[in-house]
Amino acid sequence: MAKTGTTTQGLRAAIERSGYYPALVAEAVEAAVGGEQISSYLVHQETTFDSNEVRRHVTVLVLTGTRFIVSHTDEQAADSSSPTPYATTSTESVKLPRISSVVVSRVVANPESYTPGTLPREVVLTIGWGAVSRIDLEPAACGDPNCDADHGYTGSSTADDLSLRVSEAGDGPEAVRQTLAFAQALSEATAATAATR
């Protein structure tokens, strides 16, 4: 389930519709937003299966005129540290100039007959701001198949602070549409911020 919009009341309503500890999630998100005007938001709930347990997770993304705010809330089963189930909520506020990448990956069925405007089957939104990077290394090689010299390693570093996957089959076409709308709003905001620097 994903919801998007541009008002504080709309954000609260979307959080309440998600049904996932709405009072807890709304309080954390609203405290992070403060008095700023909301430009766009996206509420995405996902359910995962972990062994014999069902776990829920909600991600709330908020765009203001100056910041990108991300909130995650997870529920945890009772464990050795807590005799009762509990939830953890975290929020992070990132100044727009720090957003280094907004990547939208689209999965489209039957690309040979694609019509512009058709919704993708799946969208993965990846946003990077330099807090988390992933490094992929592999042994380097040369073009000589008989060479047994050590050429060191080669690899790449990828900003991977947030990755959100939404699919038409799992979340519905409206969730895909809303994720694309939020991604476009964030891309436009970061472009405008970059132009004023």
Side-chain angles (χ1 to χ4, degrees):
M1 173 193 310
K3 301 291 178 202
T4 191
T6 59
T7 67
T8 303
Q9 296 85 3
L11 173 59
R12 181 173 269 281
I15 290 170
E16 288 174 1
R17 276 192 305 274
S18 78
Y20 184 79
Y21 307 121
L24 173 67
V25 173
E27 181 180 49
V29 171
E30 288 169 1
V33 171
E36 278 196 88
Q37 186 77 20
I38 294 173
S39 302
S40 186
Y41 63 82
L42 179 66
V43 177
H44 181 258
Q45 181 185 330
E46 59 185 317
T47 303
T48 57
F49 300 94
D50 183 16
S51 298
N52 296 334
E53 296 179 10
V54 175
R55 293 184 187 261
R56 295 181 299 164
H57 175 90
V58 69
T59 301
V60 179
L61 308 179
V62 179
L63 178 63
T64 72
T66 62
R67 298 179 298 147
F68 166 67
I69 298 162
V70 59
S71 174
H72 295 286
T73 304
D74 291 288
E75 63 183 356
Q76 309 292 328
D79 57 23
S80 60
S81 68
S82 175
T84 59
Y86 60 98
T88 57
T89 299
S90 65
T91 57
E92 183 173 1
S93 176
V94 181
K95 291 180 182 179
L96 285 177
R98 290 209 42 223
I99 302 289
S100 57
S101 66
V102 178
V103 180
V104 179
S105 300
R106 302 166 190 241
V107 177
V108 177
N110 303 314
E112 68 281 352
S113 59
Y114 176 77
T115 304
T118 303
L119 277 181
R121 184 173 68 193
E122 179 180 310
V123 171
V124 179
L125 173 61
T126 305
I127 304 166
W129 57 91
V132 178
S133 292
R134 182 182 68 237
I135 298 176
D136 295 318
L137 294 175
E138 61 184 37
C142 67
D144 182 357
N146 298 320
C147 179
D148 60 1
D150 182 358
H151 294 285
Y153 287 88
T154 186
S156 62
S157 175
T158 308
D160 199 13
D161 296 304
L162 173 76
S163 190
L164 186 75
R165 178 185 170 271
V166 178
S167 72
E168 186 178 27
D171 303 292
E174 190 58 26
V176 173
R177 190 174 289 109
Q178 291 165 350
T179 302
L180 290 170
F182 182 83
Q184 181 173 348
L186 181 59
S187 291
E188 290 171 356
T190 56
T193 301
T196 60
R197 279 194 257 166

